[in-house]
Amino acid sequence: MQKLLLAAATLLMLSFVSCKSSTTTPKTFCDTVCLTDTIKFTGTHEKTPTVFITAKNCLPDSIIWSYKGMAADRKTGFTYLMGTTVNINKNFIRCFFKDNEYAWLLFNDCMTGRGFQIKLPYDKNANFSLKSSGINSLDPKFSIAENLVVNTDRGNIYVEDMSSGKKAMMTFGEPLPIDYDALHDHIDSVNVTNSRIWVKILIGKNWVEKEKNIVLE
């Protein structure tokens, strides 16, 4: 009887250990490897516009943007601008240059997958703008034309041509309780071209497809 009890206890212990070992860390959007090197983007305009993201303590520290002949570099603190800590990976950042007028930075937080979009004007008298609800093509479930920046305000989806500034939009039909840190809970997939918006979204308990032909203006 004692041997049977010992065997049962051993099996119970092995079962518990097996369950513990099967527990996995939640999957991140991208590798959160320590960021140590400055990330640099350079445009093709003759004045060579650039955007730098410096690193400190494994995280992005500052954004610096400039071009040849510019009186002084423009600079802002990364966390200050974002209002929160964001983990980035150099393979999940995109930069679009409009000559030496402005640059767009598009990236996703590696921890949550949340999309961010920053417009950086080179004119010192112009303010930069931040979108923290970005729908970026860096996410494999989002297909976005190369010249477009796309984001949402929970009730609509907005499209802007990064080169011309022309815009279009489509409504979801009702506000959605979207958590931007868990965007896929309500927006499964998106396909946006210069003439059409298509989305698959959760309305109530049902996944619904919506689409609209658009004209950027």
Side-chain angles (χ1 to χ4, degrees):
M1 183 67 177
Q2 188 174 12
K3 289 183 177 180
L4 287 173
L5 287 173
L6 180 60
T10 302
L11 285 172
L12 182 62
M13 183 177 294
L14 287 172
S15 175
F16 177 74
V17 171
S18 176
C19 288
K20 288 281 285 184
S21 63
S22 67
T23 302
T24 57
T25 303
K27 186 179 179 180
T28 57
F29 177 80
C30 51
D31 192 344
T32 56
V33 63
C34 177
L35 182 68
T36 57
D37 298 327
T38 295
I39 300 172
K40 178 182 179 181
F41 298 97
T42 304
T44 57
H45 187 269
E46 61 183 7
K47 289 190 177 292
T48 318
T50 55
V51 175
F52 294 87
I53 302 175
T54 64
K56 183 178 181 180
N57 298 325
C58 292
L59 294 170
D61 181 58
S62 299
I63 303 176
I64 304 167
W65 63 107
S66 184
Y67 61 77
K68 287 181 180 178
M70 193 167 159
D73 294 351
R74 299 201 67 180
K75 179 178 180 180
T76 185
F78 197 92
T79 300
Y80 167 78
L81 175 61
M82 309 305 295
T84 186
T85 299
V86 176
N87 287 269
I88 64 173
N89 183 306
K90 63 182 178 64
N91 296 319
F92 289 85
I93 306 177
R94 182 177 166 230
C95 188
F96 175 93
F97 290 93
K98 167 61 174 174
D99 300 327
N100 67 330
E101 295 179 32
Y102 55 82
W104 276 97
L105 267 182
L106 282 63
F107 56 93
N108 288 63
D109 175 27
C110 283
M111 294 299 295
T112 65
R114 183 171 185 168
F116 294 90
Q117 302 158 344
I118 309 173
K119 185 177 182 181
L120 302 168
Y122 288 94
D123 182 350
K124 67 178 182 179
N125 295 314
N127 293 326
F128 47 76
S129 64
L130 166 68
K131 306 289 186 183
S132 58
S133 57
I135 298 175
N136 297 332
S137 59
L138 297 162
D139 187 316
K141 298 210 75 177
F142 298 151
S143 176
I144 312 295
E146 287 292 307
N147 63 306
L148 300 179
V149 60
V150 178
N151 47 70
T152 181
D153 66 353
R154 298 187 174 93
N156 308 280
I157 186 167
Y158 297 95
V159 180
E160 180 177 345
D161 185 325
M162 290 185 285
S163 181
S164 69
K166 293 182 178 181
K167 301 176 182 180
M169 60 85 68
M170 182 183 78
T171 180
F172 294 147
E174 62 182 84
L176 303 179
I178 297 173
D179 177 354
Y180 296 137
D181 288 332
L183 195 62
H184 284 295
D185 286 354
H186 284 85
I187 301 180
D188 175 76
S189 46
V190 176
N191 187 302
V192 182
T193 68
N194 285 271
S195 60
R196 176 176 171 269
I197 300 173
W198 176 93
V199 298
K200 183 178 180 181
I201 55 178
L202 184 65
I203 298 180
K205 296 183 179 180
N206 300 313
W207 286 100
V208 177
E209 295 181 14
K210 287 184 174 287
E211 63 179 303
K212 178 184 178 182
N213 292 327
I214 59 172
V215 176
L216 295 162
E217 52 188 9

